[in-house]
């Protein structure tokens, strides 16, 4: 055929294709390059239509393109012979033809066999190895060949069929050619960088590119790029190409940085480009590079200081170079780009989409339809490309600003520059890649300590994420509806799952009605295992919040005394049971563990009945905790993912507890400053499952019967410390709760005022009460006249006393004040009584009357009791009194009258004098045991039974009578030490042990002495581990509560203040009220 290109022709018959191939053979035999090129020019209209789409062969070949028909007729044979010709002109002509067949899979397979890549490179070489261009014309021709070769290779990179050229394009000879062309052929810069960008888009290619020094070459090109627009028009086109090449270069470098490969990018050049350039594509690529560099930098403030470009004005002339000025310069560039360009263009694009007339910024309305560099009118495709680049710029710049927010200095600068509308990254884009970046950045901040330290940022991100999730789930729950791609929905769900690990966010998710929404989503996406697992993780995390899980922790804003379990307990447990049949083992495990944590029937009864379950769970947890991330990662690297290093585990379990503690103390120093994210651990450990298990352990640790079971397991305490130090923050929070709860209510102690130092007047060593001295404080005993080495004790004088509880302490209803603490809680959440696992008999009947539970009061007192002040007459001396709301005769349960007789007042106000043996001057022990038969009164080893007599079970003040809400009376008792109230009746052996307790027992400890838990935890490793958890607000409350409990043990106070003092003082000013409260409690206990 001899048809002019572009004319309308009918589709040729099969004979035309066959004849065309014969004519090609003749042209090649005749060595006629002109005829060969003319034949291809003539056949072109038969191959593609006017819009460039492949034509059908027609006739007897339905579904076959005309190019496919040519291939069947053997057209690739002549083309291959042309490519293999020695003359470079013939070779290039053949390559040009081969380039037009890249859409046919059969042709791709043929070109791979004949090494088209090698032929393309060969076309750029001179005839001999040492030949060099003899003049400028030959040099120009060689550069044109190199440019042509780069263009062909770039087209080859676009081939995405069953077979492609990617393997060939990443070979050393191609990469060396591209590096040489980039340096030698300015006209090929855009093509070469574009090809490198395409190759870098596949993560598997990045190590190969780095080995070929592509990263170094691009870094050098980036540094030497010309940013300013040339004054001469003749240089403009070359400069415009270099700008596009620089954009490709920035995208390629961003890809390296994204996947963790180090690149030495000139930061000042980058920010300078963001300040000066008007090219949308270049700005978007630079913003992407800036984002990934900032994302992988450890200190965003230092990063911005390094990135500061030189100023244009003399504003900084005197002080330029200081960190403050450089930081201000960088932030200024980013803020102006955001305010002046991103926000305005976004508003204009929104107005255009809504067909509204843009009133506020008419210049930008014009610019959106014009090339911002040349001012030329853009085509529809050009406008779409412009908007896509502007959208990319907005997304990456907004995410960069998000990462700046946790840094206080940068946040102040952003506020100074009136930066707003930082929600646009999630609100404006429907592009999958940009949504992935935005949601991924939110996930990074939600899982990073810098972000976690800023609660306002957490709330900001959570609100936006829930809007995205709400929008998508609402569409998906309608028949046939689908909004976000499944990958974006999965990423959103995984991000919300991390969000759900924060206690404050768990309450937000309850308000969002997450149970109702996700239950429906799980039903719609029943076949998608990833969505099912994410739904389960979110709901199980929300269910572990103390307010949603524990009966006595209640939201004060909710009316009534009914426990506000969330999700609804019975319905949720039924749903969890249905998950046990899932094909996904992760779903089965998490559902089973959550059911065990919520249904605690197996833990009721004696400690032996629950020990088997707790031992099994402890063994599972020590194997899967995120504190063992390093060991699991090492095992996976050596043996493959999911392989547990069981030999190492058994060796650790056999070690002595103290030895392990010392080893873990070394790990505190080794990993100091390291942050382990939830995402990192998912491939090796079980973070969500471990949080559930430790939540259950923290609840069970409150039970006195299980405390010894936990602490006598040689691996439990060391792994708790390891988790706090090296694990993820939510698991560290739960581990700290375990330590705090182990110290609570030990041996059924409800109150233990040791008075073990002059300033420890109101330190409750049972860790149950928040005691408070009266407005006039008691005085310490005279030096050398106290108990236990002459230092323990306090002397109550007129109007002095210790308030135990605002409503009076009742051992039948132990206050739950210090059983739980969350950042958003107040003490009203735990104002109710503690609920024991066992519904034990807390009442007993005597003379047909219900009597208020068993209890024991013990104390040491200094005899004789001194008068309140010199020259005062003797009065009754009250040891303990009830709340002032009771009738006065009932208030003073235990006192000594003016004659030195002990008076016991029963619950009806009846007084009983107890005739005691004559006491020698000095310290003596008193005990009052209320039991089923009545009351037993002890002085040292002597006792007397008061059958049928029961003392009122309400204790409001120690050392005096409680007169009103804030005042003590004038019936002060005198000097006492080691005052205790037990929520059980001690037997005679226990009372005698207390009476015989010596300073040696106090110093060395004893298994019957109530501080045995604190003594087991008395190690610097414990304090160092808890110190590491103070950096994140969500875990700091739990760590402060644990440290406050440990500070009741005198030897720990100096260690705690030496390790954590500065941090604790800073937390007193925390914006979270519960953090403030726990920090103040700790400071009071350290005095």
């Amino acid at each position: 055929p001899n048809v002019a290109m572009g004319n309308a022709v009918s589709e040729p018959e099969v004979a035309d294709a066959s004849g065309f191939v014969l004519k090609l053979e003749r042209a090649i035999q005749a060595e006629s390059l002109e005829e060969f090129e003319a034949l291809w020019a003539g056949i072109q209209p038969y191959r593609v239509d006017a819009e460039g789409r492949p034509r059908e062969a027609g006739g007897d070949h339905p579904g076959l393109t005309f190019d496919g028909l040519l291939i069947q007729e053997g057209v690739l044979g002549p083309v291959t012979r042309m490519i293999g010709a020695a003359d470079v002109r013939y070779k290039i002509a053949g390559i040009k033809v081969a380039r037009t067949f890249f859409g046919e899979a059969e042709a791709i397979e043929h070109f791979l066999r004949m090494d088209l890549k090698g032929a393309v490179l060969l076309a750029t070489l001179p005839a001999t190895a040492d030949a060099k261009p003899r003049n400028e014309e030959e040099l120009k021709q060689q550069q044109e060949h190199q440019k042509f070769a780069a263009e062909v290779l770039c087209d080859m990179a676009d081939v995405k069929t069953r077979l492609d050229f990617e393997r060939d394009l990443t070979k050393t000879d191609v990469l060396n050619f591209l590096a040489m062309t980039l340096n030698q052929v300015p006209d090929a810069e855009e093509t070469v960088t574009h090809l490198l960008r395409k190759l870098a888009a596949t993560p598997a290619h990045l190590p190969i590119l780095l080995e070929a020094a592509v990263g170094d070459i691009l870094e050098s090109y980036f540094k030497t790029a010309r940013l300013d627009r040339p004054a001469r028009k003749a240089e403009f086109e070359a400069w415009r190409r270099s700008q596009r090449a620089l954009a490709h270069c920035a995208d390629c470098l961003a890809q390296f940085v994204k996947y963790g490969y180090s690149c030495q990018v000139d930061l000042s050049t980058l920010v300078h480009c963001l300040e000066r350039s008007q090219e949308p594509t270049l700005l978007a690529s630079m913003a992407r590079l800036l984002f990934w560099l900032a994302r992988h930098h450890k200190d965003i403030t230092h990063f911005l200081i390094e990135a500061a470009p030189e100023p244009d004005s003399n504003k900084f002339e005197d002080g330029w170079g200081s960190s403050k000025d450089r930081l201000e310069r960088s932030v200024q560039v980013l803020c102006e780009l955001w305010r002046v360009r991103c926000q305005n263009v976004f508003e204009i694009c929104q107005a255009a989409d809504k067909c509204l007339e843009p009133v506020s910024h008419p210049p930008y309305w014009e610019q959106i339809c014009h090339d911002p560099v040349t001012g030329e009118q853009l085509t529809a495709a050009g406008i779409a490309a412009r908007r896509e680049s502007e959208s990319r710029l907005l997304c990456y710049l907004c995410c960069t600003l998000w990462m700046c927010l946790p840094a206080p200095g940068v946040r102040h600068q952003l506020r100074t520059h009136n930066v707003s509308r930082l929600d646009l990254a999630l609100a404006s884009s429907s592009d999958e890649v940009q949504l992935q970046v935005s949601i991924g950045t939110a996930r990074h901040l939600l899982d990073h300590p810098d972000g976690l330290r800023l609660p306002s940022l957490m709330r900001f991100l959570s609100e936006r994420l829930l809007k995205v999730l709400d929008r998508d789930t609402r569409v998906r729950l309608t028949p046939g509806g689908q909004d976000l791609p499944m990958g974006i929905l999965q990423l959103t769900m995984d991000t919300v799952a991390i969000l759900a690990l924060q206690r404050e966010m768990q309450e937000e998710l309850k308000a969002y009605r997450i149970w109702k929404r996700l239950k429906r989503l799980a039903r719609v996406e029943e076949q998608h295992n990833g969505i099912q697992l994410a739904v389960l993780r979110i709901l199980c995390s929300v269910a572990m919040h103390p307010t949603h899980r524990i009966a006595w922790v209640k939201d004060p804003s909710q009316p009534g005394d009914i426990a506000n379990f969330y999700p609804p307990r019975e319905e949720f447990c039924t749903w969890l049971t249905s998950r046990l049949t899932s094909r996904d083992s992760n779903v089965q495990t998490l559902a089973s563990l959550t059911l065990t944590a919520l249904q605690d029937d197996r833990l009721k009864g004696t400690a032996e009945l629950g020990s088997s379950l707790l031992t099994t769970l402890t063994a599972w947890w020590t194997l899967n905790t995120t504190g063992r991330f390093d060991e699991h990662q090492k095992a996976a690297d050596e043996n493959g993912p999911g392989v547990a290093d069981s030999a190492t585990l058994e060796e650790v379990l056999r070690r002595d507890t103290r030895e392990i503690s010392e080893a873990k103390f070394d790990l505190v120093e080794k990993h100091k400053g390291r942050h382990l994210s939830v995402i990192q651990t998912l491939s090796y450990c079980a973070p969500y499952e471990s949080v559930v298990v430790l939540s259950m352990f923290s609840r069970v640790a409150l039970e006195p019967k299980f405390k010894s079971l936990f602490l006598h397991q040689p691996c439990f305490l060391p792994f708790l410390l390891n988790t706090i130090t090296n694990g993820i923050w939510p698991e560290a929070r739960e581990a700290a709760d375990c330590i705090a709860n182990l110290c609570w209510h030990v041996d059924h102690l409800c109150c233990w005022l040791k008075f073990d130092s002059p300033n420890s007047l109101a330190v409750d060593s049972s860790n149950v009460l928040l005691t408070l001295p009266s407005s006039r404080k008691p005085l310490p005993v005279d030096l050398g006249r106290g108990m236990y080495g002459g230092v323990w004790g306090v002397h109550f004088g007129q109007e002095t006393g210790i308030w135990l509880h605002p409503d009076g302490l009742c051992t039948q209803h132990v206050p739950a004040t210090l059983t739980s603490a969350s950042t958003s809680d107040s003490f009203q959440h735990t104002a109710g009584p503690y609920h024991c696992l066992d519904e034990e008999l807390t009442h007993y009947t005597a003379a047909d009357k219900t009597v208020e539970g068993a209890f024991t009061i013990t104390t040491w007192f200094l005899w004789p009791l001194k008068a309140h002040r010199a020259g005062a007459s003797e009065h009754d001396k009250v040891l303990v009194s009830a709340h002032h709301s009771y009738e006065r005769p009932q208030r003073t349960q235990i006192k000594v009258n003016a004659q030195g007789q002990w008076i016991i007042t029963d619950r009806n106000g009846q007084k009983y004098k107890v005739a005691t043996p004559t006491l020698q001057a000095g310290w003596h022990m008193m005990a009052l045991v209320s039991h089923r038969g009545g009351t037993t009164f002890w002085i040292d080893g002597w006792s007397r039974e008061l059958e049928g007599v029961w003392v009122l079970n309400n204790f409001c003040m120690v050392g005096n009578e409680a007169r009103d809400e804030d005042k003590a009376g004038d019936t002060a008792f005198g000097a006492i030490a080691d005052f205790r109230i037990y929520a059980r009746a001690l037997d005679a052996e226990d009372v005698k042990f207390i009476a015989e307790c010596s300073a040696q027992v106090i110093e060395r400890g004893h298994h019957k002495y109530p501080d045995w838990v604190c003594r087991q935890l008395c190690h610097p490793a414990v304090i160092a581990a808890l110190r590491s958890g103070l950096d994140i607000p969500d875990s700091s409350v739990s760590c402060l509560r644990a440290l406050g409990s440990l500070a009741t043990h005198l030897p720990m106070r100096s260690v705690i203040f030496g390790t954590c003092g500065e941090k604790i003082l800073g937390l007193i000013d925390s914006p979270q009220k519960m953090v403030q409260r726990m920090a103040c409690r700790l400071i009071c206990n350290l005095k």
Side-chain angles (χ1 to χ4, degrees):
N2 185 14
V3 183
M5 184 172 301
N7 292 343
V9 296
S10 60
E11 295 183 355
E13 300 295 333
V14 175
D16 294 331
S18 177
F20 174 75
V21 173
L22 291 175
K23 290 183 178 182
L24 280 180
E25 294 283 3
R26 295 193 195 103
I28 294 173
Q29 290 176 0
E31 298 184 358
S32 175
L33 179 61
E34 292 77 8
E35 185 179 354
F36 179 86
E37 292 176 341
L39 286 171
W40 281 108
I43 201 68
Q44 183 67 15
Y46 294 82
R47 299 176 64 196
V48 295
D49 60 18
E51 296 180 0
R53 294 174 298 188
R55 286 187 180 274
E56 297 291 329
D60 298 330
H61 306 280
L64 185 68
T65 63
F66 189 75
D67 279 354
L69 182 60
L70 288 176
I71 293 172
Q72 285 188 1
E73 296 296 331
V75 75
L76 295 180
V79 173
T80 302
R81 286 193 292 278
M82 287 291 287
I83 293 174
D87 191 329
V88 68
R89 295 178 301 133
Y90 285 80
K91 189 183 294 293
I92 290 177
I95 293 173
K96 286 181 179 179
V97 173
R99 186 179 178 185
T100 64
F101 281 91
F102 283 172
E104 299 292 332
E106 188 177 348
I108 299 301
E109 187 175 359
H110 175 81
F111 294 147
L112 286 170
R113 286 198 304 269
M114 55 88 60
D115 190 17
L116 177 62
K117 173 266 302 181
V120 171
L121 296 181
L122 194 62
T124 66
L125 299 178
T128 59
D130 57 348
K132 295 182 179 180
R134 289 171 294 182
N135 49 49
E136 289 187 6
E137 185 177 349
E138 289 186 1
L139 176 61
K140 182 178 179 181
Q141 186 179 35
Q142 182 178 336
Q143 289 181 346
E144 288 177 354
H145 290 169
Q146 289 175 316
K147 179 182 177 182
F148 169 74
E151 291 171 350
V152 175
L153 294 173
C154 195
D155 287 347
M156 292 169 69
D158 290 330
V159 173
K160 302 296 179 185
T161 59
R162 181 177 60 84
L163 297 172
D164 55 43
F165 296 104
E166 282 193 354
R167 185 176 179 182
D168 284 351
L169 293 177
T170 54
K171 289 185 176 179
T172 305
D173 53 352
V174 174
L175 297 178
N176 288 341
F177 163 75
L178 294 176
M180 178 183 66
T181 304
L182 183 62
N183 290 327
Q184 296 180 357
V185 186
D187 289 349
E189 289 177 350
E190 181 181 359
T191 304
V192 171
T193 52
H194 193 191
L195 173 55
L196 292 175
R197 176 185 174 183
K198 292 178 182 179
L199 296 178
T202 304
H205 294 162
L206 297 178
I208 302 172
L209 297 178
L210 285 176
E211 288 178 6
V214 170
D216 297 336
I217 295 168
L218 291 177
E219 290 168 13
S220 176
Y221 179 81
F222 186 89
K223 191 178 297 185
T224 58
R226 183 180 177 183
L227 300 177
D228 295 330
R229 179 173 178 168
R232 297 173 57 188
K233 291 185 178 181
E235 300 175 357
F236 177 76
E237 285 302 323
W239 173 79
R240 192 75 187 273
R241 286 194 303 269
S242 72
Q243 297 296 286
R244 292 192 290 267
L246 185 59
H248 296 319
C249 176
D251 270 321
C252 193
L253 290 172
Q255 192 76 352
F256 283 123
V257 178
K258 175 181 177 180
Y259 288 95
Y261 297 99
S262 177
C263 289
Q264 302 299 319
V265 177
D266 186 1
L267 296 178
S268 61
T269 299
L270 196 161
V271 177
H272 181 70
C273 179
L274 291 173
E275 182 183 27
R276 294 294 187 85
S277 178
Q278 294 296 320
E279 175 66 54
T281 305
L282 178 58
L283 285 173
S285 299
M286 288 294 184
R288 179 172 183 248
L289 177 56
L290 179 74
F291 165 77
W292 285 113
L293 287 169
R295 174 88 172 258
H296 287 271
H297 204 281
K298 293 182 179 179
D299 187 343
I300 190 69
T301 303
H302 183 67
F303 171 79
L304 292 174
I305 291 172
E306 288 182 347
E310 292 289 338
D312 294 331
S313 65
N314 295 327
K315 176 182 177 182
F316 300 97
E317 184 174 354
D318 296 334
W320 176 249
S322 68
S323 297
K324 180 181 178 181
D325 291 340
R326 295 179 69 86
L327 176 63
E328 183 180 348
R329 178 85 170 106
S330 292
V331 174
Q332 178 186 1
V333 171
L334 299 182
C335 291
E336 289 194 7
L337 181 62
W338 174 256
R339 288 188 298 101
V340 175
R341 179 154 190 156
C342 293
Q343 285 187 246
N344 288 333
V345 171
F346 170 76
E347 292 171 2
I348 290 166
C349 290
Q350 271 200 325
D353 293 337
K354 296 177 181 178
C355 298
L356 300 176
E357 184 66 26
V359 178
S360 57
H361 303 288
Y364 279 92
W365 178 259
E366 293 298 324
Q367 288 185 17
I368 202 70
C369 302
H370 293 77
D371 188 316
V373 178
T374 63
E376 297 175 356
Q377 178 74 35
L378 293 174
T379 62
I383 294 174
R386 165 89 190 269
R387 293 187 62 171
E388 193 274 335
S389 296
E390 298 286 359
S391 178
R392 285 180 66 214
L393 170 62
L394 182 146
C395 171
Y396 285 109
L397 185 57
C398 186
C399 291
T400 303
L401 294 175
W402 283 358
M403 290 188 294
C404 293
L405 290 173
V410 184
R411 188 166 65 250
H412 173 73
Q413 293 284 343
L414 295 178
R415 191 181 296 114
T416 302
H417 288 282
N418 297 319
V419 171
S420 60
R421 298 301 310 275
L422 290 180
D423 60 326
L424 295 183
L426 286 172
S428 64
S429 178
S430 59
D431 180 79
E432 184 173 356
V433 173
Q434 293 175 31
L435 278 173
Q436 190 174 25
V437 170
S438 302
I439 299 172
T441 304
R443 184 180 69 176
H444 169 77
L445 290 169
L446 291 168
D447 199 15
H448 195 275
D450 290 342
L452 291 167
R453 293 188 190 105
L454 192 61
S456 58
L457 177 60
M458 297 297 99
R459 286 191 292 272
F460 168 81
L461 293 176
S462 66
E463 290 171 3
R464 272 65 190 175
L465 283 170
L466 292 177
K467 285 183 179 179
V468 173
L469 181 62
D470 185 54
R471 180 187 65 191
D472 186 60
T473 52
R474 202 183 316 116
V475 175
R476 287 179 184 274
L477 293 177
T478 57
Q482 179 170 344
D483 187 9
L484 295 178
M486 185 57 70
I488 297 299
L489 176 61
Q490 183 69 65
L491 178 61
T492 306
M493 293 291 291
D494 290 341
T495 305
V496 175
I498 295 175
L499 182 74
L501 290 170
Q502 298 182 47
R503 284 190 176 170
E504 187 173 351
M505 293 301 109
Q506 290 165 3
E507 295 182 282
E508 294 291 333
L509 290 172
K510 178 186 176 181
Y512 177 71
R513 297 185 297 173
I514 194 71
W515 160 245
K516 181 179 179 181
R517 295 170 186 269
L518 293 192
K519 184 176 60 172
R520 296 176 61 196
L521 178 62
R523 190 163 56 245
V524 171
E525 302 293 345
E526 191 172 359
Q527 303 302 318
H528 197 288
N529 291 338
I531 298 298
Q532 294 292 324
L533 181 58
V535 168
L536 182 63
R537 285 170 172 169
I538 295 169
L539 294 176
C540 290
S541 297
V542 172
M544 288 301 107
H545 190 283
T547 307
H548 305 161
R549 172 173 54 97
I550 301 175
W552 67 84
V553 183
K554 299 176 182 178
D555 186 350
S557 64
Q558 300 295 325
D561 295 329
I562 301 175
N564 49 346
F565 295 133
Y566 191 84
R569 181 61 55 86
E570 186 176 348
E571 186 181 358
F572 185 50
C573 288
T574 302
W575 185 80
L576 287 174
T577 303
S578 69
R579 306 295 100 179
L580 298 178
T581 58
S582 172
R583 292 171 293 179
D584 189 340
S585 61
N586 292 321
V587 171
Q588 291 181 11
T589 302
L590 183 54
S592 175
L593 291 172
T594 307
L595 274 172
T596 304
L598 297 178
Q599 299 173 337
D600 48 20
D601 293 341
R602 294 171 61 182
L603 297 172
K604 294 182 178 180
T606 63
E608 290 73 17
L609 294 176
S611 63
S612 176
L613 173 62
L614 294 178
T615 302
T616 302
L617 288 175
T618 301
W620 182 92
W621 170 70
T622 54
L623 182 62
N624 294 279
T625 173
T626 59
R628 299 196 64 204
F629 171 77
D630 292 329
E631 296 173 54
H632 280 284
Q633 188 180 45
K634 180 180 178 182
D637 292 342
E638 294 176 354
N639 306 312
V643 179
D645 191 359
S646 58
T648 303
L649 175 63
E650 293 175 3
E651 178 187 351
V652 169
L653 293 177
R654 286 195 297 265
R655 291 181 190 169
D656 177 76
T657 302
R658 183 165 293 276
E659 181 184 346
I660 301 174
S661 298
E662 292 171 356
K664 299 309 174 186
F665 180 65
D666 293 339
L667 286 176
V668 174
E669 296 300 322
K670 177 181 177 182
H671 297 303
K672 188 175 182 181
R674 186 187 77 165
H675 168 70
L676 193 62
S677 66
V678 177
I679 295 300
Q680 283 178 278
T681 63
L682 283 173
S683 301
Y684 304 99
C685 309
Y688 292 91
E689 294 84 347
S690 296
V691 170
V692 170
V693 172
L694 281 183
S695 297
M696 177 185 177
F697 285 171
S698 67
R699 163 65 185 94
V700 176
L702 293 168
E703 296 289 314
K705 66 182 181 181
F706 288 122
K707 295 182 189 293
S708 60
L709 178 64
F710 281 122
L711 291 175
H712 291 163
Q713 294 187 65
C715 63
F716 184 74
L717 176 58
F719 275 102
L720 273 185
L721 304 182
N722 192 27
T723 296
I724 297 172
T725 305
N726 303 315
I728 58 173
W729 52 269
E731 194 180 359
R733 177 194 66 219
E734 300 299 334
D737 273 342
C738 285
I739 291 178
N741 291 351
L742 284 171
C743 298
W744 184 85
H745 196 38
V746 177
D747 199 22
H748 297 275
L749 261 177
C750 296
C751 174
W752 187 11
L753 304 177
K754 290 182 178 180
F755 304 122
D756 55 359
S757 69
N759 294 316
S760 300
L761 300 179
V763 176
D764 176 27
S765 296
S766 71
N767 297 303
V768 173
L769 304 176
L770 292 172
T771 55
L772 184 69
S774 57
S775 55
R776 292 186 62 178
K777 295 183 180 180
L779 299 175
V781 295
D782 295 337
L783 186 63
R785 296 201 61 194
M787 283 287 297
Y788 307 130
V791 295
W792 284 39
V794 66
H795 188 275
F796 292 98
Q798 186 178 16
E799 297 182 0
T800 64
I802 301 294
W803 294 95
L804 299 183
H805 192 276
D807 300 322
L809 168 64
C810 175
T811 62
Q812 184 182 345
H813 304 292
V814 179
T817 309
L818 294 176
T819 58
S820 175
S822 302
T823 52
S824 58
D825 284 358
S826 67
F827 286 137
Q828 289 183 328
H829 285 75
T830 50
Y834 169 69
H835 295 187
C836 183
L837 275 175
D838 300 310
E839 297 296 332
E840 294 179 331
L841 186 64
T842 56
H843 299 74
Y844 45 77
T845 302
D848 297 327
K849 293 182 179 179
T850 300
V851 182
E852 299 175 348
F855 62 86
T856 301
I857 299 175
T858 72
T859 189
W860 287 86
F861 61 93
L862 182 61
W863 191 265
L865 302 179
K866 288 185 177 181
H868 307 145
R869 59 186 183 276
S873 61
E874 291 294 337
H875 292 79
D876 292 347
K877 299 173 177 60
V878 177
L879 175 64
V880 60
S881 66
H883 192 261
H884 62 83
S885 60
Y886 288 93
E887 295 295 331
R888 188 161 189 181
Q890 295 176 298
R891 288 189 212 166
T892 56
Q893 293 107 317
I894 306 173
K895 66 180 180 180
V896 177
N897 64 17
Q899 291 74 39
Q901 295 174 313
W902 288 85
I903 309 297
I904 307 299
T905 305
D906 70 6
R907 61 190 179 89
N908 297 316
Q910 183 68 37
K911 301 183 184 300
Y912 296 87
K913 293 182 180 180
V914 181
T916 60
T918 302
L919 301 180
Q920 300 295 323
W923 286 93
H924 299 271
M925 194 278 294
M926 185 283 303
L928 184 144
V929 182
S930 179
H931 51 80
R932 185 177 298 273
T935 299
T936 303
F937 186 77
W938 292 78
I939 294 291
D940 297 330
W942 174 89
S943 66
R944 179 183 171 183
E945 290 288 340
L946 300 174
E947 295 184 4
V949 176
W950 291 277
V951 174
L952 181 66
N953 193 342
N954 183 283
F955 312 104
C956 185
M957 175 169 281
V958 174
N960 211 326
E961 179 185 358
R963 288 290 174 86
D964 53 37
E965 293 184 358
D966 59 354
K967 289 185 180 180
D970 58 358
T971 55
F973 186 77
I976 68 170
D978 196 1
F979 177 88
R980 310 180 196 178
I981 301 178
Y982 289 86
R984 66 183 181 93
L986 298 184
D987 56 28
E989 183 181 351
D990 292 333
V991 174
K992 290 177 181 179
F993 172 78
I994 297 174
E996 297 167 0
C997 214
S998 63
Q1000 288 74 18
V1001 173
I1002 303 300
E1003 183 178 351
R1004 298 174 184 174
H1006 191 280
H1007 71 279
K1008 285 190 175 182
Y1009 201 66
D1011 68 351
W1012 64 272
V1013 172
C1014 283
R1015 288 183 182 276
Q1016 286 225 30
L1017 298 171
C1018 183
H1019 193 280
V1022 179
I1023 308 305
L1026 292 172
R1027 165 61 182 85
S1028 65
L1030 295 178
D1031 294 327
I1032 296 176
D1034 198 52
S1035 61
S1036 65
V1037 178
S1038 299
C1039 291
L1040 286 170
R1041 186 162 69 96
L1043 288 168
S1045 298
L1046 294 175
T1048 62
H1049 187 49
L1050 181 61
M1052 295 294 285
R1053 293 172 189 166
S1054 60
V1055 180
I1056 292 174
F1057 191 78
T1059 306
C1060 318
E1062 184 178 355
K1063 183 66 177 178
I1064 296 167
L1065 293 173
L1067 289 174
I1068 292 178
D1069 296 325
S1070 170
Q1072 284 89 14
K1073 296 299 183 182
M1074 186 54 75
V1075 175
Q1076 292 181 18
R1077 295 183 182 104
M1078 289 299 160
C1080 290
R1081 173 187 176 241
L1082 175 53
I1083 291 295
C1084 290
N1085 289 356
L1086 288 174
K1087 288 182 179 179

